[in-house]
Amino acid sequence: MKSLFKVIAVAVFSMIVFAAPGFAADTVKVASAGVISGDLAPYGISALRGAEIAVEDLNAKGGILGKKIELLVGDDVCKPEVAVNIATKLVSDGAQMIVGHVCSGATIAANKIYKDANLLIASAASTSDALTFTGEHPNFFRTIANDGAQAILMTDFVKNELKAKKVALIHDKGDYGKGQMELVRDNFEKMGGVEIVLFEGVTTGAVDYSAIVQKIKRSDAEVTMWGGYHSDASKIVQLLEKKRVDTTFFGADGIIGDNFTNLAGKYAEGVYATGPNDTSGNALYQELSEKHQKKYGEDPGTFFHNGYACMQALAAAAEKAGSLDYDAMRAAMFEITVDSPLGPIGFDEKGDVVGAGFSVYKVIDGKYQQVN
Amino acid sequence: MRWISIGLGLAVTGVIGFFAVRELLIDPLYFFELFLGGLTRGSIYALIALGYTMVYGIIQLINFAHGEIYMIGAMTALIVASVLGLWGWNTAVIAILAFVFAIVYSCAYGFTVEKIAYKPLRHAPRLSALISAIGMSLFLQNYVMLAQTPEYLPFRTLIPDFHFWEPYAHIITSVELTIIITTVIVMILLGILIKFTRIGKAMRATAQDKVMAALLGINVNNVISATFVVGSATAAIGGVLIACHVGQINFFIGFLAGLKAFIAAVLGGIGSIPGAVLGSLVLGISESYFTGYFWSEYEDVFAFSILVLILIFRPSGILGKHDAQKV
């Protein structure tokens, strides 16, 4: 009995060892990586679905360079350490270009692997300045405007439209949130006329935020700006309201979308946030939204159209270069203009998108509506 | 050595006292608000820490799955409240039923976890039971994530804003007031249970000497189960209250809350019930003041520093009994 058990155990393990992936020679393997489980999943799933539908559309037209596209999917749960493992796995699975990741911290960590493997990466959602301004990520492109552009929009709006004199800057200590608030702080300092009364980080997922809310109240900030994601933001917004603190809450694209308005409910009313331009007038945009509705039975998420544009851009670069060679494709990325759902877009020498930007939204009647 | 520690202690107390008095004089309202915020936070820690400390007192086990029991309480309340809300029931009835269901479910989970994960290991080395507890914690987290959802869920508060409290709402919200009052009531009831009832007496006897208690006719297994049930009930109350306070839950909320409550229990002297309450209040209030007067970035660093400091000078916690034991 015992030896039978051993034989079975050995058999099972050897199956695991020998179950190597079969190689299909004539497909182009594209990997889509990002956060698709955990509390930030809505962001990653929206980008992934964009890539999925783009792959379907491209395959219907014959794929890339005459080869069909095969999509590999990786989940980094928004953690840099997991992202590195996922990137290694995708590269060893034979990925030839990458759409992703979503969280900036994860993208920065994973890109060490992609850069060494000479792969182009296009992200739908990573907005950190570190990705394009430091020159350390020459293989990186994105279809969303960077935090720098977003920070300028935020500071201008707070100063000129909201006419605030005192602002509190709160962040979640992460790459994305803290980076965003540091840019905002630098911009305010350059512009002058607005006093930063508070610059603080909070622990994500903490039991209670009442102390920081009291602190915001004591600082008399007219506007409280938030760098981080929607779940902590909604806790803070609720406590601000419950403690009757008179301040306007202003976030970045981390709190844009229905996730935030659903979570915060009535407390979301009047909250400002910046997010990608509303390009819903674009014909392709509308067509894709309908496809998404048909395929998944719901409205597209925040980064769906950006994800679609990433896949389009990579495919267009490969076609233009005439091969999947890294240097040829990278050179082609700077020359292409893509008719994307975000309008015609291209890329500047740093890898940032040209032709897609941010606007300011406000929650009115439970929905984000564009105000500028 | 002794004089050095006393001198150091006095110096630290003096510096803290000086700053506290100065801040109190500069802005008394803010000082008071932070105190109440800390009291609320401490109350929640206390409700969870009780479960840790009671279980430790009886079977010397750190029940790491306790934070998950707290999370399951909040989840149950959310499900009950949503269903009853759809049926259009009265708000007060919903609130009471949500609490009752949360307590019943959490107790059932606490009871079952003990039977499955700890009872078979009662005579095994202590480390085995500890690993079993960590495994149980991971299992429950992932189970709720898969059975429910990984996303944050909005938790519409079960406790309405009281009208008569409106003038003071900017100092302390209705929910926070409810949390503090509920905690005090739970503490009093628990005190009565332990001091004056048969099961309480049996618990104390079992905690002192399991073998002797069994020889005198106490069913030790039942007493241990009862301890888990009582601990789970207080955790469930804490779970529902904090969910009302912050307005959202997910499968992971038990981790950080459980960790903080565990620190509080160790701070106060693990195994001691008044110690757990005192430790929780000290932790909650000092975290609140630290965030309020210094930097919230380092709030957790500060919480752990307090723990380290207290354990250096009083290795068994503020109210803990002296006996050398390894966790």
Side-chain angles (χ1 to χ4, degrees):
Chain A
M1 191 59 209
K2 221 171 186 178
S3 62
L4 179 69
F5 182 74
K6 275 184 191 161
V7 170
I8 295 174
V10 169
V12 169
F13 275 101
S14 52
M15 272 195 290
I16 294 169
V17 173
F18 296 123
F23 284 100
D26 30 357
T27 57
V28 175
K29 288 191 178 175
V30 179
S32 171
V35 47
I36 52 181
S37 66
D39 53 316
L40 298 173
Y43 297 116
I45 290 173
S46 66
L48 170 65
R49 286 178 176 174
E52 273 175 357
I53 291 190
V55 167
E56 281 172 20
D57 288 357
L58 286 164
N59 277 344
K61 287 181 205 150
I64 296 176
L65 301 170
K67 293 179 187 171
K68 289 271 189 257
I69 307 167
E70 185 188 340
L71 193 68
L72 311 172
V73 178
D75 181 10
D76 64 18
V77 290
C78 194
K79 290 183 179 151
E81 64 276 17
V82 182
V84 173
N85 291 342
I86 291 294
T88 314
K89 179 176 183 297
L90 291 172
V91 169
S92 67
D93 282 352
Q96 289 160 301
M97 47 185 94
I98 315 289
V99 176
H101 296 208
V102 173
C103 302
S104 294
T107 311
I108 292 170
N111 200 37
K112 293 188 184 79
I113 308 289
Y114 301 136
K115 194 165 73 172
D116 289 345
N118 278 340
L119 297 178
L120 285 188
I121 159 170
S123 172
S126 297
T127 51
S128 165
D129 273 10
L131 281 161
T132 51
F133 279 63
T134 55
E136 283 168 21
H137 305 278
N139 59 333
F140 177 84
F141 296 85
R142 60 181 152 208
T143 56
I144 188 163
N146 59 41
D147 284 342
Q150 197 173 183
I152 290 172
L153 178 66
M154 287 171 89
T155 45
D156 281 349
F157 193 87
V158 166
K159 190 182 177 194
N160 301 328
E161 305 289 327
L162 299 178
K163 311 249 183 268
K165 295 271 176 283
K166 286 175 169 182
V167 294
L169 308 182
I170 313 291
H171 59 80
D172 67 353
K173 301 193 273 188
D175 268 345
Y176 162 73
K178 189 173 182 191
Q180 184 72 54
M181 283 303 111
E182 280 169 349
L183 290 169
V184 166
R185 179 183 62 188
D186 295 347
N187 278 341
F188 276 133
E189 277 164 5
K190 248 181 266 165
M191 289 196 313
V194 179
E195 189 194 351
I196 295 162
V197 287
L198 205 58
F199 186 86
E200 294 255 351
V202 296
T203 306
T204 333
V207 179
D208 172 36
Y209 290 114
S210 48
I212 190 76
V213 165
Q214 297 288 12
K215 207 168 180 178
I216 293 170
K217 186 166 135 194
R218 182 160 91 147
S219 73
D220 283 329
E222 295 151 49
V223 176
T224 302
M225 299 178 83
W226 166 250
Y229 299 104
H230 64 278
S231 67
D232 299 315
S234 98
K235 288 185 199 169
I236 294 173
V237 165
Q238 293 191 26
L239 277 176
L240 283 170
E241 177 73 33
K242 283 181 188 162
K243 296 216 179 232
R244 314 285 186 266
V245 183
D246 185 21
T247 179
T248 308
F249 197 81
F250 199 129
D253 56 337
I255 68 164
I256 204 89
D258 293 342
N259 323 325
F260 175 73
T261 46
N262 288 341
L263 208 48
K266 63 175 176 173
Y267 301 103
E269 207 59 30
V271 165
Y272 286 91
T274 50
N277 279 343
D278 187 2
T279 51
S280 53
N282 185 306
L284 181 59
Y285 184 103
Q286 288 164 354
E287 189 193 323
L288 288 175
S289 299
E290 276 165 30
K291 265 190 194 164
H292 187 285
Q293 182 73 37
K294 214 180 278 168
K295 187 162 178 194
Y296 304 106
E298 57 188 20
D299 284 336
T302 317
F303 299 117
F304 169 73
H305 297 95
N306 301 73
Y308 189 95
C310 285
M311 190 62 239
Q312 275 186 311
L314 289 172
E319 292 290 349
K320 175 139 190 141
S323 78
L324 292 176
D325 176 61
Y326 170 73
D327 292 319
M329 263 185 76
R330 182 168 180 271
M333 279 302 263
F334 300 114
E335 292 166 21
I336 51 172
T337 306
V338 184
D339 279 322
S340 76
L342 313 170
I345 56 167
F347 299 94
D348 67 12
E349 72 281 2
K350 293 193 193 97
D352 268 318
V353 67
V354 178
F358 279 102
S359 359
V360 180
Y361 294 79
K362 183 182 186 184
V363 182
I364 302 169
D365 298 329
K367 284 264 171 219
Y368 274 112
Q369 294 179 16
Q370 192 166 338
V371 287
N372 72 332
Chain B
M1 188 58 209
R2 191 187 151 84
W3 290 109
I4 295 176
S5 15
I6 292 176
L8 211 62
L10 281 178
V12 170
T13 321
V15 171
I16 294 175
F18 171 74
F19 278 107
V21 170
R22 202 187 67 168
E23 292 296 339
L24 178 62
L25 293 177
I26 294 173
D27 190 348
L29 183 66
Y30 184 61
F31 190 86
F32 190 55
E33 283 171 349
L34 288 177
F35 178 77
L36 289 174
L39 203 59
T40 315
R41 194 186 286 212
S43 303
I44 293 295
Y45 290 161
L47 285 172
I48 311 171
L50 280 174
Y52 277 111
T53 214
M54 285 172 68
V55 166
Y56 187 86
I58 285 207
I59 54 173
Q60 284 78 48
L61 165 78
I62 308 291
N63 178 13
F64 274 113
H66 193 60
E68 271 52 62
I69 301 291
Y70 152 94
M71 176 266 296
I72 285 171
M75 273 286 173
T76 314
L78 174 68
I79 294 167
V80 171
S82 320
V83 171
L84 295 184
L86 277 182
W87 293 348
W89 287 31
N90 179 307
T91 331
V93 179
I94 292 180
I96 293 168
L97 280 180
F99 266 97
V100 169
F101 269 90
I103 292 171
V104 169
Y105 260 78
S106 286
C107 289
Y109 270 98
F111 180 84
T112 319
V113 164
E114 193 267 332
K115 287 280 178 259
I116 294 176
Y118 309 141
K119 196 178 165 205
L121 294 171
R122 195 155 302 152
H123 301 291
R126 294 254 297 278
L127 207 53
S128 311
L130 191 72
I131 299 299
S132 182
I134 294 172
M136 211 61 216
S137 157
L138 290 175
F139 170 79
L140 288 176
Q141 264 177 30
N142 285 284
Y143 158 69
V144 172
M145 179 179 89
L146 294 172
Q148 297 297 329
T149 167
E151 284 173 42
Y152 274 97
L153 297 168
F155 193 104
R156 298 285 166 258
T157 184
L158 300 168
I159 303 160
D161 284 349
F162 308 133
H163 283 300
F164 71 90
W165 195 251
E166 189 52 40
Y168 314 104
H170 63 285
I171 301 174
I172 172 171
T173 67
S174 308
V175 179
E176 287 174 319
L177 184 71
T178 316
I179 291 177
I180 295 173
I181 293 173
T182 314
T183 308
V184 171
I185 294 173
V186 168
M187 295 301 151
I188 293 172
L189 289 179
L190 193 69
I192 293 173
L193 178 86
I194 293 198
K195 272 266 181 289
F196 301 111
T197 62
R198 278 176 69 85
I199 186 76
K201 210 182 255 178
M203 279 178 187
R204 280 182 289 148
T206 311
Q208 279 177 8
D209 191 334
K210 256 203 297 265
V211 178
M212 192 63 208
L215 281 175
L216 292 174
I218 292 171
N219 187 336
V220 173
N221 281 333
N222 283 359
V223 172
I224 293 174
S225 293
T227 312
F228 272 87
V229 166
V230 173
S232 304
T234 56
I237 296 171
V240 182
L241 287 174
I242 199 78
C244 291
H245 181 50
V246 296
Q248 58 176 288
I249 55 174
N250 81 341
F251 70 95
F252 202 58
I253 53 167
F255 177 74
L256 203 60
L259 196 65
K260 285 288 180 66
F262 173 59
I263 298 175
V266 174
L267 194 63
I270 191 138
S272 149
I273 290 175
V277 178
L278 185 67
S280 302
L281 294 181
V282 166
L283 189 69
I285 292 169
S286 49
E287 272 183 5
S288 183
Y289 278 129
F290 188 79
T291 302
Y293 289 118
F294 299 96
W295 324 271
S296 61
E297 275 97 335
Y298 296 103
E299 188 184 270
D300 290 346
V301 177
F302 175 71
F304 286 96
S305 310
I306 293 187
L307 181 73
V308 171
L309 271 180
I310 295 224
L311 291 186
I312 288 174
F313 292 104
R314 282 195 67 89
S316 49
I318 304 175
L319 297 182
K321 288 189 288 288
H322 266 293
D323 51 1
Q325 272 177 343
K326 287 181 193 162
V327 174

